[in-house]
């Protein structure tokens, strides 16, 4: 029991969503609830061409390419925050993580997830289109699906107030169920 946390609520976005999904599968008794944002069930859910394009696009971020990650409703401040965040990435480490992820994260048995789950997607997500979130939510027993309009890959950055309300509402309902 690391950090004294016996059971916990787990939230993950994109690659973090895939990590959270794997934790929920590996240690279901520890996960009270799961929130998966802008992620997918494994790279087998994408065509080989889509996976190849996914990797290529991540090897060279340009300001224009980063802008396309965000949806039409994103503010200039959200875009600037994304630029600042990407500028802090150690590119060589990121590329190694990306290559390992694509080669090893193939098809997770998400049907075995037992934690109450909320799947969140942006309707304009060009990284993981909302169809992948719909498939993920369909395959996870009793999962809820929430799709944000005019939102791309980063709902928490693009629509922080709405995102936080949705997250806290979901977590509050899980807390009520535990009583």
């Amino acid at each position: 029991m690391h950090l004294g946390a016996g059971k916990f609520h787990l939230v993950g976005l994109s690659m973090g969503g895939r990590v959270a999904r794997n934790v929920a599968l590996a240690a279901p008794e520890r996960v009270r609830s799961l929130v998966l944002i802008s992620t997918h069930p494994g790279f087998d859910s994408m065509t080989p061409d889509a996976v190849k394009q996914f990797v290529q696009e991540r090897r060279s971020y340009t300001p224009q390419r980063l802008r396309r990650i965000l949806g039409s409703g994103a503010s200039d401040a959200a875009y600037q925050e994304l630029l600042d965040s990407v500028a802090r990435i150690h590119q060589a480490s990121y590329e190694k993580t990306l290559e390992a992820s694509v080669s090893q994260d193939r098809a997770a048995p998400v049907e075995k997830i037992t934690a109450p789950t909320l799947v969140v997607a942006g309707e304009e997500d060009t990284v993981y289109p909302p169809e992948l979130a719909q498939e993920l939510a369909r395959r996870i027993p009793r999962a809820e699906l929430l799709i944000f309009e005019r939102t791309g890959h980063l709902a928490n950055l693009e629509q922080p107030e709405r995102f936080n309300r949705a997250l806290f509402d979901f977590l509050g309902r899980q807390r009520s169920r535990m009583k």
Side-chain angles (χ1 to χ4, degrees), residues 1 3 50 67 69 101 108 124 127 137-138 169 172 174 177:
M1 213 171 15
L3 299 175
R67 186 58 152 151
I69 289 174
S101 179
E124 298 174 4
V127 179
R138 180 186 56 75
D169 176 62
Q174 305 322 306
R177 290 181 186 155

Side-chain angles (χ1 to χ4, degrees), residues 43 46-58 127:
F43 282 96
M46 298 167 71
T47 67
D49 285 343
V51 172
K52 188 181 290 185
Q53 179 180 350
F54 177 86
V55 172
Q56 257 330 86
E57 288 178 353
R58 267 131 209 91
V127 179

Side-chain angles (χ1 to χ4, degrees), residues 9 25 46 75 81 91 93 108 132 135 157 173 175:
H9 301 278
L25 288 166
M46 298 167 71
S75 68
E81 192 170 336
Q91 190 64 29
S93 296
L132 292 174
E135 175 192 348
L157 181 65
R173 285 186 279 126
R175 189 172 183 177

Side-chain angles (χ1 to χ4, degrees), residues 144-157:
E144 298 176 33
L145 175 64
L146 178 59
I147 298 181
F148 282 58
E149 302 82 20
R150 300 185 65 223
T151 302
H153 189 63
L154 302 169
N156 63 318
L157 181 65

Side-chain angles (χ1 to χ4, degrees), residues 18 40 62 64 91 147 166:
R18 296 193 319 271
H40 62 84
T62 64
Q64 297 78 19
Q91 190 64 29
I147 298 181

Side-chain angles (χ1 to χ4, degrees), residues 118 120-123 145-151 155-156 158-169:
L118 173 63
V120 178
E123 75 172 352
L145 175 64
L146 178 59
I147 298 181
F148 282 58
E149 302 82 20
R150 300 185 65 223
T151 302
N156 63 318
E158 298 175 62
Q159 295 195 38
E161 296 83 12
R162 181 168 181 225
F163 176 83
N164 287 337
R165 274 194 311 273
L167 177 63
F168 292 133
D169 176 62

Side-chain angles (χ1 to χ4, degrees), residues 32-165:
R32 288 190 191 278
S33 69
L34 181 63
V35 180
L36 302 174
I37 308 133
S38 299
T39 194
H40 62 84
F43 282 96
D44 283 351
S45 65
M46 298 167 71
T47 67
D49 285 343
V51 172
K52 188 181 290 185
Q53 179 180 350
F54 177 86
V55 172
Q56 257 330 86
E57 288 178 353
R58 267 131 209 91
R59 289 182 189 239
S60 60
Y61 280 118
T62 64
Q64 297 78 19
R65 186 169 283 158
L66 287 171
R67 186 58 152 151
R68 289 193 302 266
I69 289 174
L70 302 176
S72 61
S75 68
D76 290 338
Y79 175 58
Q80 188 58 53
E81 192 170 336
L82 175 60
L83 289 174
D84 294 346
S85 176
V86 170
R88 292 188 298 270
I89 292 175
H90 185 269
Q91 190 64 29
S93 296
Y94 176 74
E95 286 183 20
K96 288 178 185 176
T97 301
L98 179 64
E99 290 168 10
S101 179
V102 168
S103 68
Q104 296 175 20
D105 185 13
R106 301 310 305 178
V110 296
E111 296 83 2
K112 294 181 180 179
I113 291 175
T114 58
T117 303
L118 173 63
V119 177
V120 178
E123 75 172 352
E124 298 174 4
D125 191 343
T126 59
V127 179
Y128 300 133
E131 296 79 20
L132 292 174
Q134 291 166 339
E135 175 192 348
L136 186 61
R138 180 186 56 75
R139 290 177 53 196
I140 297 172
R142 298 169 308 284
E144 298 176 33
L145 175 64
L146 178 59
I147 298 181
F148 282 58
E149 302 82 20
R150 300 185 65 223
T151 302
H153 189 63
L154 302 169
N156 63 318
L157 181 65
E158 298 175 62
Q159 295 195 38
E161 296 83 12
R162 181 168 181 225
F163 176 83
N164 287 337
R165 274 194 311 273

